[in-house]
Amino acid sequence: GQNIDQPTEMTATEGAIVQINCTYQTSGFNGLFWYQQHAGEAPTFLSYNVLDGLEEKGRFSSFLSRSKGYSYLLLKELQMKDSASYLCAVLDSNYQLIWGAGTKLIIKP
Amino acid sequence: GAVVSQHPSWVICKSGTSVKIECRSLDFQATTMFWYRQFPKQSLMLMATSNEGSKATYEQGVEKDKFLINHASLTLSTLTVTSAHPEDSSFYICSARDLGQGEVIAFFGQGTRLTVV
């Protein structure tokens, strides 16, 4: 079966760094996505990785290791507005998006 | 950037009536649109995938006669919740991508909060 695992909830302090991990087992792989979803809102696109390595985009970076079936989203200089759920999703061999359950990130002052 | 517009943002309807939700891609052609449902504090649940000009593919457990999906053009898909009941109250979200242009990123509409009373 297809499976994506990510922690249910994480807590971090404003100004700090947090890493949200995602592991996956899917039928084929055509890339991994990270989306941010604030409570009561729709998800917004953060990053897309299809090759191994680190992609940096401002305060957010995303890493992928295809051989390990592993990705992480790194958030630096945390701000209160970063409190949200972070969704990991994999595009399988049929170009279907397989979603993780999301990680709720709580930022404390 | 790619913009997906979904309307209405929220709707309240009486039990037994039907509600139509529209999803439009504003600056790209959406060869594929996805419809999701999300209950409070739960993850996204894919309801169906629709490709322009063809019938939607529904996920297991989703009643196709209750949730009517039309994707008649490359920029518009609609979801109609027929004979809505209180248990259909949820957050409905569409997303769209243009795989025909090699674009794998799916962009989301703003979502529609449906309350059936």
Side-chain angles (χ1 to χ4, degrees):
Chain A
Q2 311 210 83
N3 193 49
I4 297 187
D5 286 317
Q6 50 181 132
T8 304
E9 187 174 296
M10 298 181 71
T11 302
T13 305
E14 189 177 16
I17 299 173
V18 71
Q19 178 175 311
I20 303 175
N21 296 323
C22 171
T23 58
Y24 62 90
Q25 290 177 309
T26 56
S27 304
F29 180 84
N30 278 302
L32 184 144
F33 298 84
W34 285 97
Y35 284 83
Q36 180 190 60
Q37 186 177 25
H38 283 101
E41 298 181 10
T44 56
F45 169 77
L46 289 178
S47 66
Y48 171 62
N49 293 64
V50 66
L51 299 176
D52 289 350
L54 185 69
E55 297 267 349
E56 297 186 70
K57 195 185 292 186
R59 293 189 298 114
F60 293 7
S61 302
S62 56
F63 172 83
L64 174 67
S65 169
R66 288 172 296 171
S67 62
K68 295 181 179 178
Y70 168 70
S71 171
Y72 67 73
L73 180 69
L74 190 71
L75 291 76
K76 302 177 184 177
E77 302 170 17
L78 286 170
Q79 301 174 10
M80 297 303 292
K81 67 178 183 179
D82 297 329
S83 293
S85 287
Y86 292 85
L87 311 177
C88 173
V90 171
L91 204 58
D92 71 8
S93 56
N94 293 319
Y95 288 90
Q96 297 277 58
L97 264 178
I98 311 301
W99 292 90
T103 299
K104 182 179 180 181
L105 178 63
I106 300 168
I107 309 296
K108 294 185 175 179
Chain B
V3 179
V4 177
S5 179
Q6 186 175 340
H7 292 281
S9 299
W10 59 270
V11 58
I12 302 173
C13 71
K14 290 185 178 180
S15 186
T17 61
S18 295
V19 173
K20 180 185 281 189
I21 301 169
E22 288 190 352
C23 181
R24 293 181 185 272
S25 57
L26 298 187
D27 53 0
F28 68 103
Q29 294 184 329
T31 51
T32 307
M33 286 188 170
F34 305 91
W35 286 96
Y36 293 88
R37 181 167 53 182
Q38 188 175 37
F39 293 104
K41 298 185 179 181
Q42 294 189 20
S43 57
L44 291 172
M45 287 175 41
L46 179 65
M47 299 175 67
T49 301
S50 74
N51 293 299
E52 185 265 340
S54 59
K55 290 184 178 180
T57 302
Y58 290 81
E59 295 299 302
Q60 194 171 9
V62 178
E63 301 173 59
K64 61 180 181 180
D65 294 331
K66 180 170 181 63
F67 299 99
L68 302 178
I69 291 172
N70 184 286
H71 191 170
S73 79
L74 283 171
T75 58
L76 174 64
S77 177
T78 60
L79 167 67
T80 302
V81 183
T82 62
S83 187
H85 291 287
E87 57 265 30
D88 298 323
S89 298
S90 186
F91 191 44
Y92 292 85
I93 318 171
C94 72
S95 73
R97 72 181 180 199
D98 185 8
L99 201 55
Q101 293 296 316
E103 179 56 77
V104 297
I105 299 172
F107 295 92
F108 284 82
Q110 303 94 317
T112 298
R113 190 160 305 282
L114 170 64
T115 303
V116 185
V117 297

